[in-house]
Amino acid sequence: MRAKITYLVTAAVLVFYFVLVGSRGVMLMQSGTVLTVTFGIAVLILPVIGLWFLWKNTQFVRKANQLAAELDAEGGLPVDELRRTPGGRIDRDSADEVFAKRKAETEASPDDWRCWFRLAVAYHDARDTPRARKAMQRAIALHAGRPAQA
């Protein structure tokens, strides 16, 4: 729940920032000179890119949460079998062991979105966020029946 609240607050702050920047871009364009209109257009492009990025990330999180809920209903969520340090951090060797199991599971069943979901969790636990995201994107694509990109 804490992560959702943090995400919503951050998204709201970003939207406020985009509105503020967008209004400055409009004000620059209203000045009417070639230079200010050019800068105004450039300034308006930034919030558009930011809103697109925020939208895509929100859709990704929503779809990943839907997969997690479906997997939870099936009883297939990965069990937390990781050892932790006294400070609560995941033990690296433990994460590597679990990752090896998840990778073998996914290689044995490459078209199963559930395996890719669990592999994404293992990547995340091993602190490999880019690969975790790619694995989750593949799980989402497989779940939706779309061809997954290699």
Side-chain angles (χ1 to χ4, degrees):
M1 188 63 174
R2 185 175 177 186
K4 286 183 181 182
I5 292 171
T6 301
Y7 187 81
L8 288 173
V9 168
T10 303
V13 168
L14 280 172
V15 168
F16 174 75
Y17 174 75
F18 296 149
V19 168
L20 187 65
V21 169
S23 70
R24 298 297 182 238
V26 169
M27 287 171 43
L28 282 168
M29 290 173 59
Q30 288 174 342
S31 295
T33 68
V34 174
L35 184 62
T36 59
V37 169
T38 304
F39 279 140
I41 291 170
V43 167
L44 281 176
I45 290 172
L46 294 174
V48 169
I49 292 170
L51 284 170
W52 174 82
F53 184 74
L54 182 62
W55 174 255
K56 293 302 275 184
N57 277 314
T58 301
Q59 292 301 318
F60 173 77
V61 169
R62 188 182 59 77
K63 289 174 184 174
N65 284 337
Q66 286 175 345
L67 292 187
E70 186 173 330
L71 204 54
D72 186 29
E74 295 174 359
L77 277 179
V79 177
D80 187 0
E81 52 192 300
L82 300 167
R83 292 183 305 275
R84 304 204 187 279
T85 65
R89 298 192 107 197
I90 295 172
D91 178 61
R92 182 69 178 190
D93 294 333
S94 176
D96 290 342
E97 290 171 19
V98 171
F99 173 77
K101 283 194 270 184
R102 299 294 180 232
K103 185 175 180 189
E105 175 186 286
T106 304
E107 287 171 349
S109 197
D111 293 330
D112 186 1
W113 68 266
R114 294 161 187 84
C115 294
W116 282 99
F117 183 94
R118 288 187 285 266
L119 181 64
V121 172
Y123 270 127
H124 177 72
D125 291 341
R127 296 190 191 119
D128 191 346
T129 306
R131 286 190 178 131
R133 189 170 182 88
K134 286 286 186 193
M136 188 60 72
Q137 287 170 340
R138 188 163 192 149
I140 291 167
L142 287 170
H143 183 265
R146 294 190 315 261
Q149 299 173 355

